[in-house]
Amino acid sequence: VQLQASGGGLVQAGGRLRLTCAASGRTFSTYAVGWFRQAPGKEREFVATTNWSGGASYYEQSVRGRFTISRDNEKKTVYLQMNSLKPEDTAVYFCAASILGGNELNHYHYWGPGTQVTVSS
């Protein structure tokens, strides 16, 4: 599975962005897909994940109620809708695929290049 994240940019606090993770590979629909982020000087952290069907999702506590993850297996795409953005959401965002799913980085073996999200105050 190959992944490519896009949709990042510069937005003011309170604004919104939608990130897109485009995938290639025949078995995409069998993988859980997660979003992670890494701020300067910090470790990469879990943001959200959805299971293979999109029927179950899980969020990191600080984004719960503001971010929504969804997927379209026919389009081989996963989205992260980010609303009410805060300066602390500023980071490079990555999407990744996993057979296991969950919030552990080491469960995810397929990663794409990240996309920068910058939220100004």
Side-chain angles (χ1 to χ4, degrees), residues 8-9 11 16 20 30-31 37 42 44 66 70 79 86 90 104 106 109:
V11 64
R16 60 178 59 182
T20 298
T30 65
Y31 289 86
R37 65 186 180 187
K42 295 188 177 181
R44 192 169 300 187
R66 299 189 297 123
S70 62
Y79 304 99
K86 304 175 181 180
T90 295
E104 298 287 340
N106 60 13
H109 298 105

Side-chain angles (χ1 to χ4, degrees), residues 1-118:
V1 177
Q2 293 183 322
L3 305 169
Q4 177 69 56
S6 63
L10 173 64
V11 64
Q12 290 187 333
R16 60 178 59 182
L17 284 173
R18 187 176 80 160
L19 304 184
T20 298
C21 177
S24 62
R26 296 180 180 180
T27 59
F28 170 75
S29 62
T30 65
Y31 289 86
V33 175
W35 285 97
F36 298 81
R37 65 186 180 187
Q38 188 166 17
K42 295 188 177 181
E43 294 185 351
R44 192 169 300 187
E45 65 177 8
F46 167 78
V47 176
T49 187
T50 180
N51 72 337
W52 67 273
S53 68
S57 58
Y58 179 72
Y59 299 90
E60 192 274 328
Q61 186 171 0
S62 70
V63 307
R64 209 166 290 166
R66 299 189 297 123
F67 291 11
T68 303
I69 189 170
S70 62
R71 70 188 293 163
D72 184 334
N73 283 339
E74 288 191 3
K75 295 181 178 179
K76 297 184 180 180
T77 303
V78 175
Y79 304 99
L80 185 68
Q81 178 67 46
M82 306 187 296
N83 298 332
S84 303
L85 283 161
K86 304 175 181 180
E88 51 263 44
D89 295 318
T90 295
V92 177
Y93 283 70
F94 302 86
C95 60
S98 167
I99 288 295
L100 297 176
N103 62 351
E104 298 287 340
L105 270 72
N106 60 13
H107 287 183
Y108 291 80
H109 298 105
Y110 301 96
W111 292 81
T115 184
Q116 177 71 47
V117 172
T118 303

